[in-house]
mmCIF file of all heavy atoms in Angstrom:
data_model
loop_
_atom_site.group_PDB
_atom_site.id
_atom_site.type_symbol
_atom_site.label_atom_id
_atom_site.label_comp_id
_atom_site.label_asym_id
_atom_site.label_seq_id
_atom_site.Cartn_x
_atom_site.Cartn_y
_atom_site.Cartn_z
ATOM 1 N N PHE A 22 31.842 -83.744 211.695
ATOM 2 C CA PHE A 22 32.439 -84.417 212.870
ATOM 3 C C PHE A 22 31.387 -84.857 213.816
ATOM 4 O O PHE A 22 31.426 -85.969 214.380
ATOM 5 C CB PHE A 22 33.374 -83.503 213.497
ATOM 6 C CG PHE A 22 34.576 -83.191 212.704
ATOM 7 C CD1 PHE A 22 34.690 -81.962 211.965
ATOM 8 C CD2 PHE A 22 35.667 -83.989 212.590
ATOM 9 C CE1 PHE A 22 35.706 -81.695 211.187
ATOM 10 C CE2 PHE A 22 36.792 -83.757 211.781
ATOM 11 C CZ PHE A 22 36.837 -82.533 211.086
ATOM 12 N N LYS A 32 19.967 -94.848 210.804
ATOM 13 C CA LYS A 32 19.151 -94.750 209.637
ATOM 14 C C LYS A 32 17.737 -94.519 210.060
ATOM 15 O O LYS A 32 17.418 -94.584 211.352
ATOM 16 C CB LYS A 32 19.293 -96.052 208.772
ATOM 17 C CG LYS A 32 18.938 -97.327 209.508
ATOM 18 C CD LYS A 32 19.151 -98.525 208.676
ATOM 19 C CE LYS A 32 18.758 -99.830 209.401
ATOM 20 N NZ LYS A 32 19.000 -101.017 208.572
ATOM 21 N N HIS A 53 22.112 -91.415 202.886
ATOM 22 C CA HIS A 53 20.933 -91.811 202.190
ATOM 23 C C HIS A 53 20.170 -92.848 203.008
ATOM 24 O O HIS A 53 19.070 -93.260 202.630
ATOM 25 C CB HIS A 53 21.249 -92.379 200.844
ATOM 26 C CG HIS A 53 21.898 -91.359 199.968
ATOM 27 N ND1 HIS A 53 21.131 -90.281 199.363
ATOM 28 C CD2 HIS A 53 23.149 -91.189 199.416
ATOM 29 C CE1 HIS A 53 21.960 -89.554 198.684
ATOM 30 N NE2 HIS A 53 23.155 -90.102 198.652
ATOM 31 N N TYR A 70 15.463 -68.702 205.933
ATOM 32 C CA TYR A 70 16.786 -68.874 205.217
ATOM 33 C C TYR A 70 17.077 -70.307 204.864
ATOM 34 O O TYR A 70 17.493 -70.645 203.753
ATOM 35 C CB TYR A 70 17.939 -68.334 206.009
ATOM 36 C CG TYR A 70 19.343 -68.402 205.394
ATOM 37 C CD1 TYR A 70 19.759 -67.331 204.617
ATOM 38 C CD2 TYR A 70 20.101 -69.461 205.591
ATOM 39 C CE1 TYR A 70 20.962 -67.406 203.954
ATOM 40 C CE2 TYR A 70 21.368 -69.555 204.970
ATOM 41 C CZ TYR A 70 21.823 -68.513 204.239
ATOM 42 O OH TYR A 70 23.024 -68.608 203.586
ATOM 43 N N ASP A 94 5.322 -89.097 220.750
ATOM 44 C CA ASP A 94 6.325 -89.993 221.423
ATOM 45 C C ASP A 94 6.880 -91.045 220.444
ATOM 46 O O ASP A 94 6.127 -91.507 219.530
ATOM 47 C CB ASP A 94 5.743 -90.697 222.640
ATOM 48 C CG ASP A 94 5.278 -89.739 223.690
ATOM 49 O OD1 ASP A 94 5.409 -88.559 223.573
ATOM 50 O OD2 ASP A 94 4.689 -90.242 224.709
ATOM 51 N N GLU A 118 12.398 -83.585 226.107
ATOM 52 C CA GLU A 118 11.603 -83.505 224.928
ATOM 53 C C GLU A 118 12.341 -84.365 223.781
ATOM 54 O O GLU A 118 11.680 -85.140 223.080
ATOM 55 C CB GLU A 118 11.340 -82.108 224.372
ATOM 56 C CG GLU A 118 10.182 -81.519 225.097
ATOM 57 C CD GLU A 118 8.890 -82.048 224.735
ATOM 58 O OE1 GLU A 118 8.287 -81.687 223.665
ATOM 59 O OE2 GLU A 118 8.394 -82.925 225.459
ATOM 60 N N VAL A 141 38.956 -70.376 221.370
ATOM 61 C CA VAL A 141 39.875 -69.317 221.456
ATOM 62 C C VAL A 141 39.329 -67.944 221.012
ATOM 63 O O VAL A 141 39.491 -66.881 221.686
ATOM 64 C CB VAL A 141 41.112 -69.625 220.590
ATOM 65 C CG1 VAL A 141 42.127 -68.498 220.579
ATOM 66 C CG2 VAL A 141 41.787 -70.941 221.129
ATOM 67 N N PRO A 168 26.982 -74.881 232.907
ATOM 68 C CA PRO A 168 27.444 -76.226 232.982
ATOM 69 C C PRO A 168 27.283 -77.021 231.749
ATOM 70 O O PRO A 168 28.105 -77.921 231.493
ATOM 71 C CB PRO A 168 26.567 -76.809 234.115
ATOM 72 C CG PRO A 168 26.119 -75.604 234.884
ATOM 73 C CD PRO A 168 25.965 -74.472 233.885
ATOM 74 N N GLN A 172 32.971 -80.010 230.094
ATOM 75 C CA GLN A 172 33.068 -81.492 230.011
ATOM 76 C C GLN A 172 32.175 -82.170 231.025
ATOM 77 O O GLN A 172 32.061 -81.747 232.164
ATOM 78 C CB GLN A 172 34.543 -81.820 230.358
ATOM 79 C CG GLN A 172 34.877 -83.390 230.188
ATOM 80 C CD GLN A 172 36.356 -83.678 230.442
ATOM 81 O OE1 GLN A 172 37.070 -82.928 231.016
ATOM 82 N NE2 GLN A 172 36.730 -84.883 230.006
ATOM 83 N N ILE A 175 26.754 -82.103 229.006
ATOM 84 C CA ILE A 175 25.713 -82.739 228.224
ATOM 85 C C ILE A 175 25.613 -84.157 228.593
ATOM 86 O O ILE A 175 24.451 -84.713 228.734
ATOM 87 C CB ILE A 175 26.027 -82.590 226.656
ATOM 88 C CG1 ILE A 175 25.991 -81.095 226.345
ATOM 89 C CG2 ILE A 175 25.020 -83.389 225.850
ATOM 90 C CD1 ILE A 175 26.406 -80.844 224.803
ATOM 91 N N PHE A 198 40.658 -67.201 209.635
ATOM 92 C CA PHE A 198 40.340 -65.846 209.279
ATOM 93 C C PHE A 198 41.375 -65.281 208.326
ATOM 94 O O PHE A 198 42.605 -65.522 208.585
ATOM 95 C CB PHE A 198 40.195 -64.952 210.534
ATOM 96 C CG PHE A 198 39.243 -65.461 211.533
ATOM 97 C CD1 PHE A 198 39.629 -66.249 212.565
ATOM 98 C CD2 PHE A 198 37.851 -65.110 211.347
ATOM 99 C CE1 PHE A 198 38.666 -66.758 213.438
ATOM 100 C CE2 PHE A 198 36.891 -65.577 212.246
ATOM 101 C CZ PHE A 198 37.331 -66.424 213.328
ATOM 102 N N ALA A 221 25.198 -53.374 221.424
ATOM 103 C CA ALA A 221 24.803 -52.659 222.616
ATOM 104 C C ALA A 221 25.874 -52.229 223.556
ATOM 105 O O ALA A 221 25.772 -51.988 224.695
ATOM 106 C CB ALA A 221 23.788 -53.544 223.365
ATOM 107 N N GLN A 228 36.833 -47.954 220.518
ATOM 108 C CA GLN A 228 37.941 -48.348 221.466
ATOM 109 C C GLN A 228 37.945 -49.942 221.583
ATOM 110 O O GLN A 228 39.050 -50.457 221.635
ATOM 111 C CB GLN A 228 37.598 -47.735 222.805
ATOM 112 C CG GLN A 228 38.669 -48.034 223.891
ATOM 113 C CD GLN A 228 38.269 -47.460 225.233
ATOM 114 O OE1 GLN A 228 37.140 -47.149 225.471
ATOM 115 N NE2 GLN A 228 39.254 -47.517 226.161
ATOM 116 N N PHE A 229 36.765 -50.548 221.677
ATOM 117 C CA PHE A 229 36.725 -51.963 221.778
ATOM 118 C C PHE A 229 37.307 -52.588 220.545
ATOM 119 O O PHE A 229 38.087 -53.621 220.577
ATOM 120 C CB PHE A 229 35.298 -52.413 221.993
ATOM 121 C CG PHE A 229 35.064 -53.951 221.917
ATOM 122 C CD1 PHE A 229 35.836 -54.765 222.749
ATOM 123 C CD2 PHE A 229 34.170 -54.483 221.010
ATOM 124 C CE1 PHE A 229 35.700 -56.146 222.671
ATOM 125 C CE2 PHE A 229 34.077 -55.859 221.002
ATOM 126 C CZ PHE A 229 34.731 -56.667 221.861
ATOM 127 N N ALA A 232 41.033 -52.379 220.551
ATOM 128 C CA ALA A 232 41.642 -53.277 221.564
ATOM 129 C C ALA A 232 41.498 -54.727 220.983
ATOM 130 O O ALA A 232 42.548 -55.534 221.210
ATOM 131 C CB ALA A 232 40.937 -53.218 222.936
ATOM 132 N N LEU A 233 40.433 -55.128 220.433
ATOM 133 C CA LEU A 233 40.309 -56.479 219.888
ATOM 134 C C LEU A 233 41.264 -56.645 218.698
ATOM 135 O O LEU A 233 41.846 -57.762 218.488
ATOM 136 C CB LEU A 233 38.838 -56.672 219.479
ATOM 137 C CG LEU A 233 38.478 -58.146 219.176
ATOM 138 C CD1 LEU A 233 38.665 -59.078 220.323
ATOM 139 C CD2 LEU A 233 36.957 -58.213 218.716
ATOM 140 N N PRO A 242 52.027 -58.621 211.761
ATOM 141 C CA PRO A 242 51.203 -57.894 210.826
ATOM 142 C C PRO A 242 49.860 -58.557 210.618
ATOM 143 O O PRO A 242 49.672 -59.706 210.889
ATOM 144 C CB PRO A 242 52.094 -58.021 209.571
ATOM 145 C CG PRO A 242 53.396 -58.296 210.029
ATOM 146 C CD PRO A 242 53.304 -59.185 211.217
ATOM 147 N N GLY A 244 46.766 -60.283 208.892
ATOM 148 C CA GLY A 244 46.832 -61.306 207.871
ATOM 149 C C GLY A 244 46.104 -62.498 208.425
ATOM 150 O O GLY A 244 45.307 -62.426 209.401
ATOM 151 N N TYR A 248 42.564 -70.428 214.738
ATOM 152 C CA TYR A 248 42.354 -70.604 216.118
ATOM 153 C C TYR A 248 41.538 -71.952 216.159
ATOM 154 O O TYR A 248 40.631 -72.268 215.418
ATOM 155 C CB TYR A 248 41.493 -69.545 216.664
ATOM 156 C CG TYR A 248 42.075 -68.126 216.567
ATOM 157 C CD1 TYR A 248 41.415 -67.147 215.957
ATOM 158 C CD2 TYR A 248 43.394 -67.796 217.054
ATOM 159 C CE1 TYR A 248 41.915 -65.839 215.813
ATOM 160 C CE2 TYR A 248 43.896 -66.581 216.941
ATOM 161 C CZ TYR A 248 43.207 -65.616 216.274
ATOM 162 O OH TYR A 248 43.776 -64.310 216.211
ATOM 163 N N TRP A 253 32.158 -80.011 223.206
ATOM 164 C CA TRP A 253 31.863 -81.249 223.909
ATOM 165 C C TRP A 253 30.620 -81.902 223.276
ATOM 166 O O TRP A 253 29.531 -81.224 223.125
ATOM 167 C CB TRP A 253 31.622 -81.106 225.340
ATOM 168 C CG TRP A 253 32.937 -80.715 226.050
ATOM 169 C CD1 TRP A 253 33.292 -79.483 226.643
ATOM 170 C CD2 TRP A 253 34.086 -81.577 226.292
ATOM 171 N NE1 TRP A 253 34.573 -79.608 227.135
ATOM 172 C CE2 TRP A 253 35.101 -80.847 226.937
ATOM 173 C CE3 TRP A 253 34.360 -82.942 225.966
ATOM 174 C CZ2 TRP A 253 36.312 -81.327 227.313
ATOM 175 C CZ3 TRP A 253 35.541 -83.500 226.326
ATOM 176 C CH2 TRP A 253 36.511 -82.751 226.991
#
Side-chain angles (χ1 to χ4, degrees):
F22 295 98
K32 57 184 178 180
H53 297 290
Y70 181 88
D94 298 358
E118 277 289 277
V141 175
Q172 184 177 16
I175 295 174
F198 302 95
Q228 182 185 16
F229 173 56
L233 191 59
Y248 303 122
W253 289 108

